[in-house]
Amino acid sequence: LSEPTLTMRKVAILVGGPDWPTSVLCGIMGLDLLPILLGTIPVIFLQAPTVLAGMFLYMSSEVDSETNEQLYPWADTLGTVFTVVAGGVMFYMMFTAGNSIDKALTDEREKILEIELDPEVTMANEIREWSNNAFEEANKWERLPKTMKIFLVSSVAMVSSGCYILLIFNSTCFVEFDLLDTIEDKLDNNVFHLVKPLGWIALSLVAMSSILLFVTQKNSQIRAKRTMNEPKSGKVHTEEEIIPARITAESDPSAVEVESLR
């Protein structure tokens, strides 16, 4: 992205990369706005077939009010063609962007390693890693309380049942509703009519499963936090106290004995 000219790999990242993260990264790097805007213009090669696919899909649904025959019978074929073209262009852009990033990481490895790490970012990464390790340890099956084990098993049973119902009895769960249908004509102007009684049962099972999973995960987070605040020394230390000490110890091992804090 920092290359002064518009190269193929730079354009591929601007067009094929995720929109928001790529734009934010360009801002963080302080790149000039005009070259970035110019490098984004080729996105039209992705937008054009996508718009045409949608247009032909709509045209294929148009029928003659008297004969009830399609006005544009050839629109189905063109809609399929442009859908495939749009998918192909998107795949090419994403593949080229990924390949360009991999090539940059390989060719510019020495320059990347020379970049000085931000102390605040390093501290945040240390805290995240420490917290994740504690959570993984607390979330192990043998460490879960009996109640949480029951919740977790129930959650799996509920989500499995709900998904199987939605998969096997799909037509019994929902009203058939196409892309070009309207709520007024097909659902009596009530969007909730889209779901049939069996569908509500399946969705309720999935919702209950999500709630039980949330409770289980929250319990593991609380127990992990409690573990993090129980160092060997018997004194409770906050993350803000422990992590800077760990970083200091890495740069100067004689400066502080970090393990005593843990």
Side-chain angles (χ1 to χ4, degrees), residues 20-261:
W20 184 80
T22 303
S23 301
V24 171
L25 181 60
C26 291
I28 293 175
M29 296 174 64
L31 303 180
D32 292 336
L33 178 60
L34 184 59
I36 298 301
L37 292 177
L38 292 176
T40 310
I41 290 177
V43 76
I44 192 175
F45 293 109
L46 172 62
Q47 293 176 338
T50 304
V51 172
L52 289 173
M55 180 187 73
F56 287 122
L57 175 63
Y58 175 78
M59 291 176 64
S60 66
S61 67
E62 291 290 288
V63 295
D64 190 290
S65 58
E66 296 180 358
T67 62
N68 203 32
E69 294 182 354
Q70 281 186 302
L71 293 176
Y72 313 101
W74 42 267
D76 277 327
T77 302
L78 287 179
T80 303
V81 169
F82 281 103
T83 299
V84 173
V85 171
V89 173
M90 186 62 194
F91 174 79
Y92 172 77
M93 290 296 184
M94 293 178 63
F95 176 80
T96 306
N99 185 61
S100 300
I101 294 173
D102 182 69
K103 184 176 175 59
L105 291 174
T106 303
D107 296 346
E108 309 292 338
R109 178 177 176 80
E110 294 183 0
K111 292 183 179 179
I112 294 175
L113 293 176
E114 291 176 358
I115 298 176
E116 185 178 353
L117 297 178
D118 189 295
E120 293 183 0
V121 174
T122 303
M123 182 183 297
N125 289 337
E126 288 279 347
I127 294 175
R128 182 186 295 274
E129 180 183 358
W130 182 37
S131 177
N132 288 342
N133 291 338
F135 176 78
E136 290 178 5
E137 190 66 24
N139 207 34
K140 289 182 177 179
W141 179 259
E142 59 271 15
R143 293 183 179 274
L144 288 176
K146 185 177 180 179
T147 305
M148 293 301 107
K149 290 181 179 180
I150 295 175
F151 280 8
L152 197 57
V153 172
S154 301
S155 175
V156 173
M158 288 180 179
V159 73
S160 299
S161 301
C163 288
Y164 277 118
I165 292 174
L166 293 174
L167 181 65
I168 298 174
F169 306 103
N170 183 270
S171 59
T172 313
C173 293
F174 302 101
V175 174
E176 184 177 349
F177 193 84
D178 295 328
L179 180 63
L180 300 178
D181 288 336
T182 63
I183 297 177
E184 292 79 6
D185 296 336
K186 204 68 177 287
L187 302 177
D188 296 329
N189 208 26
N190 189 339
V191 69
F192 292 106
H193 289 171
L194 179 66
V195 185
K196 297 181 179 179
L198 185 60
W200 285 116
I201 294 175
L203 293 176
S204 298
L205 287 172
V206 174
M208 284 298 299
S209 171
S210 300
I211 293 173
L212 292 178
L213 179 61
F214 173 79
V215 172
T216 305
Q217 297 292 293
K218 199 65 179 178
N219 177 268
S220 295
Q221 291 176 1
I222 294 173
R223 289 185 295 107
K225 190 73 173 180
R226 188 181 302 133
T227 301
M228 293 166 63
N229 285 331
E230 293 177 355
K232 296 178 181 179
S233 63
K235 179 184 176 182
V236 175
H237 295 272
T238 63
E239 295 172 353
E240 288 74 12
E241 293 174 332
I242 294 177
I243 301 303
R246 290 177 61 185
I247 297 173
T248 304
E250 292 175 359
S251 59
D252 184 6
S254 62
V256 62
E257 187 178 347
V258 181
E259 288 303 321
S260 63
L261 297 179

